[in-house]
Amino acid sequence: MLALATSMTLCANPITAAAQDLEATEPTPPGEVAFPTRNLGLGPNIEFRGNSDVVTLTFPVPAGNTPAFLDTTAELPTNVARGWIDVVSDGRLLTRLELPAGGDIVPLSIPLTGAKVENDAAVISLDLHLVAVDNICPEDWTLGSVRLRDGVVRYAGTPAAPQTVADYLPPILDRLELYLAEDPTDAEASVTLDLAATVSARYSGRQVPVDVRELPANGVPPPPTPRSSGRSSSARPM
């Protein structure tokens, strides 16, 4: 029997749509959870090119939740007379978001309600259109036009409690804690390394910290410390 335990926090700290530092967060409204886009495998920024471009985002959705908003800060190019983003899911137009005149940095909250969720994931297309001042064709838009920075996806609902062992590796994993005896055997140490590597591979492209800690003398790992929002769970594989 291995003295090994796992502890997983399913939700991360939320932030608002304004351009705030991720550490300076406010509590998430009841019934919501939120994750930075970099924790969802989307990276910190979403880039568009030219005056017309489509970016497709695929991100996980925890059981019991539905996508609600993509909160972000938009950097808009100069010489924009008008712009908008069409939000599309499964071929359906969910909403059209008007953009302000160019050359500005503004907070945006992009509605995602109604997005189709399949196999614990949602696929959203953001279809950008920009109209230049006096219908000119700015050359500097070719390599980059609109940039959405420091995005956070907000989900409505409450994450479902794990019902099976497989549920302890949810679509979104904030961190993993492994507890190992003070003097582990070679087999125990090997299993720990293999598990950490497997989890890192499963959540490839996402930032999932893996911490290896010493198991208390009583053989029972301490309860996980939840973040400012969300739910935690723990298990002891035998």
Side-chain angles (χ1 to χ4, degrees), residues 17-44:
Q20 300 175 350
D21 184 89
L22 287 175
E23 297 301 324
T25 62
E26 297 181 358
T28 306
E32 282 193 0
V33 294
F35 294 91
T37 54
R38 63 171 179 264
N39 287 14
L40 302 177
L42 303 178

Side-chain angles (χ1 to χ4, degrees), residues 55-130:
V55 174
T56 299
L57 309 176
T58 301
F59 54 90
V61 179
N65 290 110
T66 56
F69 293 94
L70 169 60
D71 294 337
T72 184
T73 299
E75 291 183 357
L76 305 177
T78 57
N79 299 323
V80 174
R82 178 177 176 243
W84 67 91
I85 295 177
D86 287 339
V87 184
V88 180
S89 173
D90 195 33
R92 296 183 299 109
L93 177 64
L94 301 182
T95 188
R96 172 170 291 177
L97 185 68
E98 294 288 339
L99 300 176
D104 203 355
I105 299 177
V106 295
L108 291 181
S109 188
I110 302 174
L112 302 177
T113 302
K116 182 179 180 180
V117 178
E118 189 173 16
N119 297 324
D120 296 326
V123 180
I124 301 292
S125 293
L126 302 179
D127 190 353
L128 172 73
H129 297 276
L130 298 178

